[in-house]
Amino acid sequence: MKDFKVYDHKKLDQKWRKAWDEANVYKTTEDADKEEFYILDMFPYPSGAGLHVGHPKGYIATDIISRYKKMKGFNVLHPMGWDAFGLPAEQHALKNKVHPKINTDENIARYKEQLEKISLNYDWEREISTTDPEFYKWTQWAFIQMFKKGLVFESNEPINWCPSCKTGLANEDLEDGKCERCDSEIEQKPIRQWVIRITDYADRLLADLDKLDWQESIKESQRKWIGRSEGAEIDFAVKDSDDKIKVFTTRPDTLFGATYMVLAPEHKFVQKWIDEGVIENKEEVENYAKEASKKSHIERGDMTKEKTGVELKGIKAINPALNKSGEANNEELPIYIADYVMADYGTGAIMAVPAHDERDFEFAKKYKIEIKDVISGRKNEDEAFIGSGKLINSGKFDGMDSEEAKKAITEFVGGKMTVSYKLRDWVFARQRYWGEPIPLVHCDKCGVVPVPEEELPLKLPEVESYEPTGTGESPLAGIDEWVNVKCPECGGDAKRETNTMPQWAGSSWYYLRYIDPHNSEALVDKEKEAYWSPVDFYVGGAEHATRHLIYARFWHKFLYDIGVVKYNEPFKKLQTVGLIMAEDGRKMSKRWGNVINPDDIIDEYGADAFRTYEMFMGPFDQAVNWSTKGLMGPKRFLDKVWKMQDDLASESSKKVQAQLHKTIKKVGEDIEGMKYNTAISEMMILVNLAEKECISKNDFEKLLLILSPFAPHMTQELWSILGHNTFLIGEQWPNYDNLLLIEDVVTVVVQVNGKNRAELILPQDTSEQEVRELALANEAVDKWVKKTGSGEVKRFIYITGRVANIVVQ
RNA sequence: GCCGGAGUGGCGAAAUUGGUAGACGCGCACGACUCAAAAUCGUGUGAGGCAACUCAUGAGGGUUCAAGUCCCUCCUCCGGCACCA
C-alpha cells in the first residue's frame, strides 16, 4: 500500500533535470539591482578516465553555496569549463593516431554528461575550453601585451628538461626534482626558451597576499615560494685580475669574517679561468664541475650528505673590508667551487663566513679553513653562531650592532643593499604540439615581431606527427608552410615561433572569460568585469598553491596594469577541498582498481544521496575515505524526509518549532562557513524529532527549502506535490525567528567542585538565586556538599541555562 | 631541519570557542514485523563496576570553580618547502 512512498530517483531526478533545463533556470545575466556573487570551481582537465567520486566534492560544495546565495537574493555567477590543453591528450593522440582535439572533445562530452547527472547549477551557456581558438585568441593576445611591455624575453640558459616528455619545464612543474607528469629525473639543458618576467611582480605577489581571505597554509606556501630575502650585493676583487666576483649575502655585517669564497660549479668565471689557464689544478676542477652537473636536483639538494668542493689553486679573491681597512696581510681569500652553492640563486657566488653560517662552518671544518668570529655571542665551539650581536674583529665597526652594521659595511665597501627571490622567471615555452602557439615571428631584419592582433587567433595547424622531436624544437617546426611567413613589419621572409605555451597559460585567466564568454572584441567587457569581479569564492585542490594560483595572480596583475581588469587580485576568498580517498585508504586510481564511479552511485542511490553524503563525510577541507556503507546514513535521512509528506499535522509541536528555527539558523551559517557536515546533522536532528512529534505542512516546507541546496531533486518533487509550481532555486531562503529559538525549559547541570552531581530541568527564566536554592535543595547535591571537605559552600557559579558549580571548601 | 595543520569510541566525526566530552552518522547487539530474508521501526552501544561511582580527548606538567579547548615540555601522523647564502 505504501509502494509509491519510495522516492523513485531514476525517474524523478531525470524529470526535474529536464524541467530545469527547459526552463533554463541556471542562466545568469547581469542585474545591477542585485548584489553579485561569483563562485568558482577550479576547472578540470578532462582526462580519459572520466570522473571518480572524489572529483565532484568541491563542485557539490560550490553548488550548494550557489543555490543558497541565489535563494538569499544574490545574482550568482557559477560557471564551468575545461582546461583541455596538455600532455595526456597528446600522448593519446600519439598512441592512437587521432588528433588530440578529437580525444579532448570526447573527454569533455563524457565529463559534462557525468557532471550533469549531479545537477550542478552551472550556466552552461558560459562554458569555455582553453583549446577553443576563440578562447586562446585572448591567451595569445595577453601574451603579446606582455611581449610589448618587455615582460617576455628569449633565453638560452639551461633549464629543466624532461627527457621523457621531451620538453622544457618551469620550476613549478617539478616535484622533488622530478617531472611532475611522468616522474622522470630532470636534466639541466640549454634550450632556446621564451621566459616571462614574473619576478618583476614578486614584491606585489608577496605583499598582496596579506589582504586575501585565503587559508594561511596556502599563503605561507606562496610566501615561501616567492622567497624574498633582503641583503647586499658586494664585489670581491680577484687578485692580479680585473674580474670581480659579485656575491649576494644577507649578512654583510659579517664581511670581516669572510675567510673564503665559493662559486657554483656552473659559474661563468670557472670556465673563463680554465680557458685563460690561470687555474693550476685545472683537471681536478673540471672533473668536479662535470660531476656536479651530472648530479640531479635531489642529490644536490640533499643537505644530509657531506659538503664537497675543490679549491681553485692559483687564484685568490680580496676581502674588500679588510682591504679597505688596510689589513693587507690577511685580506686574501681562497676560492672554491662547491655544489652547495646554486648557480641560479643570488649571484651564484657567496662569501663564506664559517663562524656565522652553518653550511660554511661545516665546509671550513672539513677543509681546515680559518673560522673567524666577528659577532659576539658565541656559546658553543662546535657550531656556527648565526644570531645577531655586537661586532668584533671588524676594524672601525667593532661594537656596532649587527643590524646597523649591515648597511654601514655595505656602504663602506661600495656594495648595495638589494633583494633576492627564490621565485624564478616563468619558462613559458614547451616543445610540444598540444598547446597554444606562441604568436611571435622571427625576422632576420626586424628581430622578433608579434603576430598582428587582428590575425589572432593564431590557430594550431594540423601536423603529420605529434611526436616531440626531442631536439628542443616542437613538432610545429616540421610544417614548412606554417613556419615560413612574411614578416608583419617589413614583409620580408620570416619564420614563426614553433614552441607552444605551457598548460598553465589558459588557466591563468579563464575565470575572466566566463564573465563575457562570447566577446569577440575584447578579452572581457569592462563593465561586466567591474560588475562580477573579483571571484568572491574559489574552491579547488591544494596542489595548485604554488602553480596555478601564483600564475593566475601574476597574469591578473598584469591585466590590471594594462587596464583590462578593475581589481588587482583575482580571487578574494579561497578554500581547498580535501581529497576523497578509496575505501582502502589509497588514492583512487586505475592502477589500484579502487575507483568508484559517481554514475554507478547515482544510478543506485540517486544524485541527492550522493550529494548529501559527500558533504556529510567530514570536514570539507579534510581528506576522507569513501564508504558506500556510510552513504546509507544520508540516504536513510532523505528517505525519512520523503515519508514525512504523509504525516503532516495542522501544527508543529513546540519542540519541533524550536528545533526548526535552530536548524534554519545553523544550516545558513554552516553553508557560509563550509561546515556542511554539521548542517546536515542538524537537519537530521530535526527530522528525527519531527518523526516522534509532529510537523506542520508550513514548517515542512521550510525544511524543504533549506534542504534543497543539498538534495535539489527530491525536495523539488515534494515541493511540487505540496502544490507549488515554482522552482525551489528561485524561492526565498526562510528566516528564523529568534524568539522561537528559545526553549522554555533548560537542563542545568549541577556540579560540586567541578564534578557533575545532578541535573535540574528548570523553566528558561529561572533566576540565579532560585537555581542556587533548588540546587542546594537537591538530595544528591546536598549529599556531595556534605561529603566534600568542610561541607561549607564557598562559592556558587552559574552559567545561565547550562551549568551551576558549587565550590565547597 | 624549517613552515603549516592535526591527534577525541570499533569507524567518519561533533562540542555554542573555557561550561554536561562523544551530537549526527556508520558499524555492532537485542527486540518488533516476516514462513524466512531484505527493507523498515524500537532499544542499547567510550572503558571498568551488580551498583553507588571511578576513569577517559597522543604523553607529562601547569593555570582555573571548571580544560578536548589556554600556557610549558615532549611524542606521533599528514601536507608544503628544503644546502636560498
Side-chain angles (χ1 to χ4, degrees):
Chain A
M1 127 204 168
K2 293 221 163 184
D3 274 0
F4 84 101
K5 286 314 170 207
V6 176
Y7 177 77
D8 181 355
H9 63 262
K10 281 189 191 167
K11 199 174 111 202
L12 296 172
D13 282 8
Q14 209 182 0
K15 166 185 160 186
W16 287 110
R17 250 195 324 265
K18 201 168 154 239
W20 295 325
D21 195 37
E22 278 165 9
N24 207 0
V25 284
Y26 305 144
K27 186 178 168 65
T28 310
T29 50
E30 290 65 41
D31 179 351
D33 295 338
K34 279 188 176 175
E35 195 177 335
E36 61 78 31
F37 190 79
Y38 185 1
I39 179 155
L40 181 68
D41 297 299
M42 290 185 189
F43 66 163
Y45 174 79
S47 80
L51 292 170
H52 65 62
V53 289
H55 294 115
K57 184 178 169 189
Y59 307 154
I60 295 168
T62 53
D63 189 69
I64 289 168
I65 296 179
S66 169
R67 288 172 185 272
Y68 166 77
K69 283 283 181 182
K70 282 179 179 175
M71 292 172 81
K72 285 286 236 181
F74 286 81
N75 192 23
V76 178
L77 178 59
H78 186 43
M80 185 43 99
W82 316 103
D83 187 17
F85 273 129
L87 275 182
E90 191 172 319
Q91 272 148 1
H92 182 272
L94 279 170
K95 213 167 134 195
N96 300 290
K97 308 278 176 232
V98 283
H99 195 280
K101 179 172 184 348
I102 294 170
N103 178 239
T104 300
D105 288 348
E106 280 169 10
N107 291 348
I108 287 176
R110 164 124 179 76
Y111 260 62
K112 199 171 168 183
E113 190 191 325
Q114 285 188 294
L115 290 181
E116 280 177 338
K117 284 188 183 170
I118 310 170
S119 285
L120 303 165
N121 76 102
Y122 297 127
D123 179 1
W124 285 110
E125 286 176 23
R126 292 174 184 260
E127 177 181 359
I128 54 160
S129 168
T130 52
T131 55
D132 178 356
E134 288 311 306
F135 178 91
Y136 70 65
K137 171 181 175 178
W138 299 104
T139 313
Q140 292 171 330
W141 178 86
F143 178 83
I144 288 176
Q145 308 313 308
M146 291 180 195
F147 181 83
K148 287 179 176 169
K149 292 275 174 193
L151 276 175
V152 176
F153 65 99
E154 205 170 6
S155 154
N156 278 298
E157 295 293 301
I159 54 143
N160 306 305
W161 173 261
C162 173
S164 158
C165 298
K166 297 187 176 121
T167 184
L169 295 170
N171 268 16
E172 287 80 4
D173 295 322
L174 309 190
E175 245 163 43
D176 293 333
K178 293 183 181 176
C179 173
E180 185 240 346
R181 282 236 94 84
C182 69
D183 233 25
S184 307
E185 288 283 337
I186 293 300
E187 300 166 359
Q188 295 300 306
K189 191 170 166 177
I191 300 279
R192 188 187 61 84
Q193 290 289 328
W194 287 102
V195 182
I196 295 180
R197 291 185 208 278
I198 191 171
T199 51
D200 281 9
Y201 282 70
D203 264 330
R204 286 163 68 189
L205 288 169
L206 184 68
D208 290 348
L209 278 173
D210 292 340
K211 64 184 188 198
L212 296 176
D213 182 12
W214 289 17
Q215 276 158 277
E216 202 45 44
S217 59
I218 303 277
K219 292 208 258 187
E220 216 28 58
S221 298
Q222 290 213 351
R223 288 189 189 108
K224 282 271 151 57
W225 192 263
I226 295 165
R228 182 182 203 271
S229 65
E230 286 180 18
E233 273 181 8
I234 294 169
D235 285 336
F236 282 62
V238 176
K239 196 182 171 196
D240 305 326
S241 162
D242 291 336
D243 293 329
K244 291 200 186 312
I245 303 170
K246 194 182 276 299
V247 304
F248 173 74
T249 176
T250 55
R251 293 299 299 273
D253 53 317
T254 62
L255 181 54
F256 283 85
T259 52
Y260 67 100
M261 300 194 72
V262 187
L263 306 185
E266 302 87 348
H267 196 281
K268 61 179 179 186
F269 281 170
V270 178
Q271 195 56 49
K272 181 172 180 262
W273 292 336
I274 289 172
D275 293 346
E276 287 171 2
V278 290
I279 294 176
E280 289 163 11
N281 54 339
K282 170 174 175 266
E283 220 166 284
E284 194 189 359
V285 169
E286 273 180 331
N287 283 340
Y288 184 86
K290 209 184 283 170
E291 282 302 309
S293 73
K294 264 200 263 171
K295 280 185 192 168
S296 68
H297 257 66
I298 320 169
E299 275 179 87
R300 273 188 76 167
D302 184 4
M303 310 193 325
T304 54
K305 84 172 188 327
E306 201 175 283
K307 290 179 179 31
T308 58
V310 173
E311 185 180 352
L312 304 180
K313 299 244 168 74
I315 307 187
K316 296 282 181 200
I318 308 289
N319 183 327
L322 297 174
N323 177 268
K324 273 219 152 190
S325 305
E327 295 193 45
N329 50 337
N330 55 6
E331 67 178 18
E332 286 183 16
L333 307 176
I335 304 173
Y336 286 75
I337 59 171
D339 64 6
Y340 80 91
V341 171
M342 305 293 155
D344 63 355
Y345 182 76
T347 60
I350 63 162
M351 64 176 212
V353 185
H356 305 292
D357 181 278
E358 284 169 14
R359 296 150 302 181
D360 299 344
F361 185 85
E362 189 194 322
F363 191 86
K365 278 262 172 189
K366 182 171 169 185
Y367 292 99
K368 307 209 161 38
I369 306 167
E370 188 195 353
I371 297 171
K372 179 183 167 195
D373 275 16
V374 289
I375 306 283
S376 66
R378 168 176 302 282
K379 290 179 192 80
N380 192 334
E381 280 302 312
D382 304 326
E383 53 186 59
F385 170 68
I386 56 171
S388 49
K390 295 255 182 275
L391 268 65
I392 50 174
N393 300 324
S394 298
K396 65 175 184 173
F397 297 97
D398 281 357
M400 194 182 268
D401 189 72
S402 39
E403 277 313 307
E404 200 184 331
K406 282 181 180 174
K407 220 182 198 165
I409 292 183
T410 303
E411 272 168 22
F412 176 61
V413 297
K416 66 166 200 233
M417 298 305 283
T418 170
V419 176
S420 192
Y421 299 94
K422 268 170 69 183
L423 184 72
R424 304 287 88 204
D425 278 326
W426 184 4
V427 173
F428 198 72
R430 299 290 178 274
Q431 292 71 46
R432 303 286 308 211
Y433 173 72
W434 191 228
E436 302 89 342
I438 291 179
L440 295 175
V441 171
H442 300 262
C443 170
D444 284 342
K445 251 194 254 162
C446 314
V448 178
V449 179
V451 170
E453 288 173 24
E454 57 276 13
E455 285 178 25
L456 297 179
L458 173 60
K459 287 193 189 168
L460 196 52
E462 301 288 326
V463 286
E464 295 285 314
S465 162
Y466 312 109
E467 196 76 53
T469 61
T471 59
E473 287 207 276
S474 113
L476 297 183
I479 320 169
D480 291 343
E481 62 274 27
W482 191 76
V483 172
N484 296 314
V485 285
K486 295 294 173 201
C487 170
E489 252 166 49
C490 68
D493 287 343
K495 288 194 186 303
R496 281 197 194 283
E497 171 61 48
T498 55
N499 281 328
T500 54
M501 296 188 191
Q503 217 208 321
W504 306 105
S507 61
S508 296
W509 71 277
Y510 74 108
Y511 53 89
L512 289 169
R513 193 64 180 170
Y514 289 130
I515 290 173
D516 194 12
H518 310 295
N519 192 334
S520 57
E521 301 303 312
L523 187 149
V524 62
D525 176 78
K526 279 197 176 179
E527 270 180 41
K528 289 181 183 173
E529 198 275 333
Y531 177 71
W532 289 112
S533 268
V535 173
D536 291 285
F537 202 172
Y538 194 28
V539 175
E543 69 275 17
H544 291 113
T546 52
R547 299 182 177 96
H548 162 59
L549 287 170
I550 285 198
Y551 293 144
R553 291 182 61 224
F554 157 71
W555 201 285
H556 194 91
K557 283 179 185 302
F558 171 73
L559 293 177
Y560 173 78
D561 289 348
I562 61 170
V564 174
V565 298
K566 200 177 162 185
Y567 302 96
N568 61 8
E569 281 288 335
F571 315 119
K572 207 152 111 190
K573 184 171 176 177
L574 176 82
Q575 172 68 52
T576 56
V577 200
L579 287 178
I580 294 184
M581 315 294 276
E583 221 142 343
D584 58 14
R586 295 188 287 203
K587 277 193 182 175
M588 283 196 191
S589 151
K590 252 193 202 163
R591 197 167 138 206
W592 307 118
N594 55 10
V595 175
I596 303 214
N597 187 327
D599 299 3
D600 299 338
I601 298 295
I602 290 170
D603 212 43
E604 191 162 354
Y605 305 100
D608 291 333
F610 175 68
R611 292 169 57 110
T612 310
Y613 171 57
E614 293 227 332
M615 295 299 100
F616 185 65
M617 290 177 85
F620 182 71
D621 57 350
Q622 198 175 296
V624 262
N625 294 359
W626 176 267
S627 156
T628 305
K629 262 189 181 166
L631 181 141
M632 292 314 292
K635 167 76 177 147
R636 283 179 195 133
F637 157 68
L638 293 176
D639 287 345
K640 284 185 199 173
V641 174
W642 177 249
K643 285 182 195 148
M644 280 165 76
Q645 60 175 300
D646 282 344
D647 299 315
L648 299 181
S650 57
E651 212 175 320
S652 299
S653 73
K654 273 241 158 192
K655 275 191 185 169
V656 166
Q657 266 182 45
Q659 180 60 38
L660 172 71
H661 286 263
K662 194 176 158 203
T663 307
I664 293 171
K665 180 170 190 271
K666 181 150 178 70
V667 171
E669 285 169 358
D670 281 356
I671 288 176
E672 303 219 13
M674 296 207 102
K675 290 157 80 181
Y676 306 104
N677 52 336
T678 50
I680 294 165
S681 80
E682 198 66 29
M683 289 188 279
M684 286 171 166
I685 292 169
L686 172 64
V687 168
N688 290 343
L689 188 70
E691 265 192 335
K692 287 196 187 85
E693 312 238 337
C694 50
I695 188 164
S696 69
K697 174 171 180 257
N698 196 265
D699 285 349
F700 182 58
E701 286 178 355
K702 286 185 176 152
L703 168 62
L704 295 181
L705 286 166
I706 59 171
L707 179 57
S708 71
F710 298 84
H713 310 85
M714 190 192 78
T715 50
Q716 181 69 64
E717 174 68 12
L718 284 166
W719 187 250
S720 154
I721 288 172
L722 293 178
H724 300 277
N725 53 14
T726 53
F727 292 121
L728 281 166
I729 197 169
E731 288 295 312
Q732 254 211 325
W733 190 258
N735 292 317
Y736 56 88
D737 185 338
N738 268 320
L739 287 175
L740 289 173
L741 285 178
I742 302 162
E743 292 172 69
D744 27 289
V745 289
V746 291
T747 306
V748 175
V749 169
V750 184
Q751 304 179 327
V752 177
N753 276 7
K755 294 216 183 268
N756 301 349
R757 297 304 182 192
E759 268 182 17
L760 300 176
I761 296 177
L762 302 170
Q764 212 281 324
D765 53 359
T766 313
S767 72
E768 176 165 349
Q769 186 55 36
E770 284 170 301
V771 173
R772 180 177 181 145
E773 281 161 18
L774 287 164
L776 288 169
N778 182 285
E779 204 181 319
V781 173
D782 186 57
K783 188 182 92 186
W784 280 102
V785 169
K786 290 203 170 108
K787 243 169 109 168
T788 311
S790 63
E792 198 180 312
V793 177
K794 199 190 163 207
R795 259 177 90 184
F796 180 81
I797 292 145
Y798 179 53
I799 308 299
T800 312
R802 298 198 171 278
V803 176
N805 191 8
I806 297 162
V807 185
V808 179
Q809 188 65 355

